[in-house]
Amino acid sequence: MKHCEKRTRIPLVMWLLAGVGLAALFVIAMRYAIVPLLVMLGGMV
Amino acid sequence: MKTFLRWLAKLLTTAAAVLLTIVLLPYASDLMTAYLPDLSGAARNISVTLSRNLQETGRLEVMLAQEEGVLESSTEALFLGTVQKVSVQYIYRASVGIDLTRVQVKVQGRVVTLLLPEPEILNDSLEPGQIVRDDFWYPLTDTRLQKLIEDEKLRCRSRYLSEQADSSLLWDYTVSALSNTVAQWLGVHDEGVTIRYERLADSPAYPVTE
């Protein structure tokens, strides 16, 4: 008996949504966490 | 010969005396008004009126200063360079005057001398106009903007005071403003009393009152 493996395909839209979400997350993290931290460190140096 | 020398000495002495009198004549009226007794009591009355009015009025505005400028600030972050740039156009306004309660009144003969403290900033403000900001990665907060404006106000104040400290213009304005005010207080007074304005010796140079 031949076993047929079923693969789930993720739709392109979902990929795009994930990309946009990640980009937004990156921007938010940069604006409110990473850049303020780097500014603070820059002030200390 | 002896008679001639005596005559010459007499002539030279007389000439010296006449010359000295002519040289000292301009100062004579001042000295007389200063040291002659004030029999009518006019100077005393004027000094009392002045002292009362000075205490009641409190402050005298001498000059209004206005200055336009641009405040520029940038913030650097480690590895990233400039992350925030702000440019604020502003108008700085300062009201300069003297504290009349610190004015001292001195009477000597028929001369009333007002000893004035140094002019000071009575109040000042910095009014921001157009604000241009480039702050995507590091947003400008209202607190930081207020701090920048407050710092610039302090800078403007100290710069203005240091500019004025060297010039005698402010002193001239002060004397002119106060003499006008005194003339209003006293009305027409022609009783031979002279009013003089002098600097108060122990006043600190350009203090700032809030």
Side-chain angles (χ1 to χ4, degrees):
Chain A
M1 191 180 164
K2 198 176 173 185
H3 179 72
C4 183
E5 197 179 326
K6 200 176 177 181
R7 277 197 181 169
T8 314
R9 279 179 69 89
I10 300 170
L12 185 67
V13 179
M14 292 301 276
W15 279 114
L16 284 174
L17 274 176
V20 170
L22 276 174
L25 209 65
F26 171 75
V27 169
I28 290 168
M30 281 294 278
R31 279 180 65 142
Y32 298 105
I34 298 166
V35 174
L37 186 74
L38 291 175
V39 168
M40 197 179 75
L41 291 174
M44 283 176 173
V45 174
Chain B
M1 185 69 187
K2 199 174 177 183
T3 320
F4 173 73
L5 282 175
R6 196 174 287 165
W7 175 80
L8 193 68
K10 203 173 172 183
L11 185 73
L12 285 175
T13 317
T14 314
V18 167
L19 204 69
L20 209 64
T21 312
I22 290 168
V23 168
L24 289 176
L25 212 56
Y27 304 100
S29 66
D30 283 355
L31 283 170
M32 276 169 70
T33 48
Y35 292 107
L36 273 182
D38 179 29
L39 295 175
S40 65
R44 186 66 54 190
N45 287 342
I46 284 175
S47 80
V48 169
T49 312
L50 286 180
S51 300
R52 196 181 58 234
N53 281 309
L54 288 168
Q55 291 301 319
E56 280 172 3
T57 310
R59 284 174 167 194
L60 175 72
E61 194 175 70
V62 172
M63 195 169 110
L64 275 172
Q66 184 171 311
E67 193 177 296
E68 286 181 23
V70 180
L71 150 66
E72 284 186 343
S73 160
S74 62
T75 308
E76 304 281 323
L78 201 65
F79 310 125
L80 299 179
T82 308
V83 286
Q84 185 187 82
K85 261 188 183 173
V86 190
S87 164
V88 183
Q89 287 183 348
Y90 64 81
I91 299 173
Y92 174 73
R93 291 190 179 91
S95 155
V96 185
I98 53 168
D99 183 2
L100 294 178
T101 56
R102 286 173 55 211
V103 174
Q104 291 177 14
V105 184
K106 213 169 69 178
V107 184
Q108 193 177 31
R110 309 192 74 167
V111 177
V112 178
T113 309
L114 296 179
L115 299 169
L116 313 182
E118 288 292 336
E120 56 193 88
I121 287 185
L122 300 176
N123 60 61
D124 59 349
S125 67
L126 193 137
E127 196 180 290
Q130 194 191 3
I131 302 175
V132 180
R133 52 176 91 188
D134 176 12
D135 62 343
F136 181 77
W137 291 111
Y138 188 49
L140 176 72
T141 57
D142 285 345
T143 320
R144 181 166 156 73
L145 183 62
Q146 280 305 316
K147 192 182 175 306
L148 286 174
I149 288 173
E150 203 58 37
D151 290 350
E152 186 66 17
K153 189 170 123 179
L154 292 176
R155 256 198 303 276
C156 284
R157 186 186 289 174
S158 60
R159 191 175 59 222
Y160 182 74
L161 286 178
S162 63
E163 278 172 12
Q164 292 300 327
D166 300 331
S167 86
S168 59
L169 203 66
L170 196 55
W171 172 254
D172 295 342
Y173 284 151
T174 307
V175 171
S176 155
L178 190 59
S179 58
N180 285 340
T181 312
V182 165
Q184 282 174 13
W185 287 341
L186 299 179
V188 182
H189 76 288
D190 190 19
E191 300 163 69
V193 177
T194 311
I195 299 175
R196 280 191 188 146
Y197 302 91
E198 284 176 16
R199 285 175 198 265
L200 191 63
D202 60 345
S203 71
Y206 297 96
V208 175
T209 51
E210 282 294 338

